[in-house]
Amino acid sequence: MALIVPAVVGAVLLLILLWLLVSGIFVVNQQTAAVVEHFGRFHHIAQAGLHFKIPIVQRIRERTSLRVQQLDVRVESKSQDNVFVELAIAVQYQVKPDGIQDAVYKLTDHSRQIEAYVFDVVRAEVPKKTLEEVFEDKETIAIAVNEQLTEQMSRYGYEIANVLVNDINPDARVKAAM
């Protein structure tokens, strides 16, 4: 009995040590960055590869993709000639390599923020144009959205790669009349 207790204690300590060792190792995939916190405070950014962290003391707050992502936004607005038109806009964006910390800590939901800016710009641009001008000037709308998003999202660590106006759908009655 006297030999069993130290053996059990030794086995438990060995398991705890093994767990601490294994939980301290982590891998970050290619085109991804991991934000590591030390007792809940930003410590460093781990790039792709094998890394070590201090168990219990350090944790991975978030893994952020550095790849180009796309957000599809549908916006309805009224043209100058009182026709409701729905625009399908694709925003291609990515986290800047030097803006990872800002992207993780300054915004809660980047897609909703981008969507809000798209709505704002489209609803400011489309009422200035007739339906025909909206069809002709879709590139102008895309450029206006791109400029606004680039300016606003850069402070949050995001880079706008491209903005595309994919589709313009006027009201169903207008379509039928055409």
Side-chain angles (χ1 to χ4, degrees), residues 134-146:
V134 170
F135 276 100
E136 291 171 359
D137 293 343
K138 72 179 191 176
E139 188 63 34
T140 309
I141 295 168
I143 290 169
V145 171
N146 193 342

Side-chain angles (χ1 to χ4, degrees), residues 31 33 45 47 66 94-101 157-159:
Q31 289 297 312
I45 295 169
Q47 300 294 339
L66 300 176
Q94 70 186 95
V95 175
K96 294 188 284 188
D98 62 339
I100 297 167
Q101 187 177 356
Y158 287 90
E159 176 179 38

Side-chain angles (χ1 to χ4, degrees), residues 70-177:
Q70 181 166 308
L71 178 66
D72 295 315
V73 182
R74 297 188 90 59
V75 184
E76 186 175 60
S77 187
K78 191 177 187 183
S79 67
Q80 189 178 34
D81 48 358
N82 291 326
V83 176
F84 281 96
V85 63
E86 183 180 68
L87 286 84
I89 297 177
V91 178
Q92 297 168 346
Y93 64 96
Q94 70 186 95
V95 175
K96 294 188 284 188
D98 62 339
I100 297 167
Q101 187 177 356
D102 290 337
V104 170
Y105 289 103
K106 286 188 175 180
L107 270 182
T108 303
D109 189 351
H110 64 274
S111 59
R112 288 189 57 201
Q113 189 76 28
I114 291 171
E115 204 172 283
Y117 286 125
V118 171
F119 271 74
D120 185 49
V121 173
V122 170
R123 289 189 175 155
E125 290 292 319
V126 171
K128 297 177 191 174
K129 305 175 186 300
T130 64
L131 180 61
E132 189 174 324
E133 290 171 339
V134 170
F135 276 100
E136 291 171 359
D137 293 343
K138 72 179 191 176
E139 188 63 34
T140 309
I141 295 168
I143 290 169
V145 171
N146 193 342
E147 287 173 355
Q148 177 76 10
L149 281 175
T150 299
E151 180 185 328
Q152 297 299 326
M153 295 306 289
S154 65
R155 65 177 84 153
Y156 301 116
Y158 287 90
E159 176 179 38
I160 305 303
N162 205 359
V163 175
L164 306 167
V165 177
N166 289 334
D167 194 19
I168 301 172
N169 284 321
D171 188 56
R173 290 173 285 181
V174 174
K175 267 187 175 178

